[in-house]
Amino acid sequence: MCKTLTCHKMRKQSGVSLGIADGVGGWVDAGVDPSLFSQALMYHAHRYAKVSWPGEPETDPNLDYEEREQVDGWELTPQECMELAHGQVLREHFVKAGSSTACIVNLNAANGILRSANLGDSGFCIIRSSNVIYNQAPQTHFFNCPKQLTKLPSTGFTRGLHDTAQDADLYETNVVDGDIIVLYTDGFSDNVFPSETAAICSLISRQFTPPPAPKELDADAEDPPEPQEDAQVQVMADRLVDYAQMCMVNKKRVSPFERAAAREGLFYRGGKMDDVTVVVALVCETQ
C-alpha cells in the first residue's frame, strides 16, 4: 500500500481541506507503481481545494449583485473535489493505472461546519471531550476489499472495480472549539480501536496547557508565547502511528481487524501488518 496525504488552506483562509489516500499495493503484481495514483489524486485535490471556498463565497453585502457574482473562486464540496481530482488522474499520462481509497474533509472557518466524503476503508473520526462522537464506517465490496477510485491500463485489463466519487459516503456536522479530527488509513483503523484513539489524544492534550490570556502576559516580554497547537497535533499524530505499529506486530492482542474477520466467519489472530498514515487537526476558535 502507498499512502498520500494533503492539507491546505482554502481560498482566503476561509477554511481547511484535509485529505488522505491509500493506494492499492496489488498493482505491483501488474508492474504498476501503486504510489503514483494516490500521489496524483491528492495533488489534484490540493490544486482544486486551494482556489475554492468551503461554503458560499464570502462577499460584501453592500456590493451590487453583478459585483458579488464576480467574486473569484467557487464553493467546492469534498465529493466534488474527489470527483474533479479523479478526473484529472484519468487524464494524467504518467499515471498508467492504479487505484486508491480516498477521504477528504473540509472545515469551514466561518461557521464551523465540517463536510466529508469517504470512499473505501480509509476514514476519520471526531473526538470531543475525550469521546468519539463520530467514526467513519469503512466501505467495502467484500471483506478486506475496499471501494476505490480506479484507472485501468489501456490494454490487458477487461475487468476491475469502477467506483466513483458518487459512491462516497457523505457526512456533515458542526465542530466546536477543542474538537480533534483524526484522518487515517486502514493500517491504523485495522489495529487501533476508536476508544484507544480518543484515550491517546486525551492524554496528550493534558500535556499542553492553553496559552495565558493577554492580561496575564509578562509586560516585559518582547513577544507573546508561540501557540502550542501545531506541536500538540504533531505529537498526537506521532503517538498514534507509534501505537498502531506496536499493535500490528502483537499477535496476542485482539485487533479491530481480527474482530471484523470473525464477523465474516474467518480466523485471523492479532494485529494486521500494513503501512500507517495519520493526519490530526485541532479545532480552535479565534476572535
Side-chain angles (χ1 to χ4, degrees):
M1 300 285 186
C2 295
K3 279 67 173 169
T4 308
L5 59 91
T6 184
C7 176
H8 205 282
K9 292 181 179 178
M10 303 185 77
R11 178 173 285 277
K12 294 188 177 180
Q13 299 187 350
S14 56
V16 177
S17 183
L18 309 170
I20 198 163
D22 188 353
V24 176
W27 282 100
V28 171
D29 298 333
V32 173
D33 182 350
S35 69
L36 295 180
F37 186 98
S38 59
Q39 289 172 1
L41 184 68
M42 287 295 99
Y43 169 73
H44 289 296
H46 143 82
R47 287 181 56 240
Y48 284 110
K50 72 177 182 179
V51 297
S52 307
W53 300 85
E56 287 290 333
E58 295 177 5
T59 58
D60 186 343
N62 296 318
L63 295 176
D64 294 333
Y65 175 79
E66 291 78 9
E67 293 176 302
R68 294 200 299 270
E69 285 295 296
Q70 296 176 6
V71 173
D72 290 338
W74 62 93
E75 179 182 359
L76 187 70
T77 68
Q79 185 180 43
E80 291 169 339
C81 185
M82 186 185 297
E83 184 173 23
L84 290 169
H86 185 209
Q88 286 295 330
V89 176
L90 294 178
R91 291 185 283 273
E92 287 280 8
H93 295 299
F94 76 91
V95 181
K96 303 301 181 184
S99 55
S100 174
T101 64
C103 180
I104 297 177
V105 176
N106 287 354
L107 299 172
N108 191 322
N111 54 22
I113 292 178
L114 175 149
R115 293 193 288 184
S116 70
N118 183 80
L119 184 74
D121 57 5
S122 293
F124 75 101
C125 66
I126 303 173
I127 301 170
R128 179 178 299 165
S129 300
S130 303
N131 296 307
V132 178
I133 64 169
Y134 179 76
N135 190 58
Q136 174 67 52
Q139 288 184 312
T140 60
H141 289 283
F142 49 87
F143 179 67
N144 207 30
C145 178
K147 290 187 177 183
Q148 55 203 256
L149 302 172
T150 302
K151 181 176 183 178
L152 296 179
S154 56
T155 60
F157 280 75
T158 58
R159 295 187 303 171
L161 300 176
H162 293 280
D163 303 308
T164 70
Q166 297 303 313
D167 300 308
D169 279 341
L170 307 182
Y171 179 69
E172 179 175 324
T173 191
N174 281 88
V175 292
V176 299
D177 183 58
D179 282 357
I180 300 168
I181 297 103
V182 182
L183 279 71
Y184 46 76
T185 57
D186 66 318
F188 179 81
S189 55
D190 282 342
N191 289 289
V192 181
F193 290 99
S195 59
E196 295 175 313
T197 303
I200 292 171
C201 290
S202 178
L203 287 171
I204 293 171
S205 294
R206 297 170 191 170
Q207 301 174 17
F208 290 84
T209 57
K215 64 180 181 180
E216 298 173 352
L217 297 176
D218 185 353
D220 297 329
E222 295 182 0
D223 298 302
E226 291 294 328
Q228 301 184 73
E229 289 86 357
D230 289 348
Q232 181 175 340
V233 295
Q234 185 61 62
V235 172
M236 286 180 181
D238 291 342
R239 295 299 171 267
L240 290 172
V241 170
D242 290 343
Y243 185 68
Q245 291 175 331
M246 291 172 55
C247 292
M248 70 175 60
V249 297
N250 188 343
K251 292 302 180 182
K252 296 182 180 180
R253 172 185 179 273
V254 176
S255 68
F257 188 79
E258 179 179 339
R259 288 190 177 177
R263 287 193 292 268
E264 299 295 325
L266 304 172
F267 175 76
Y268 189 92
R269 185 175 181 181
K272 178 187 175 223
M273 293 296 296
D274 201 350
D275 297 332
V276 179
T277 298
V278 172
V279 180
V280 180
L282 176 63
V283 178
C284 296
E285 184 176 359
T286 56
Q287 300 297 328

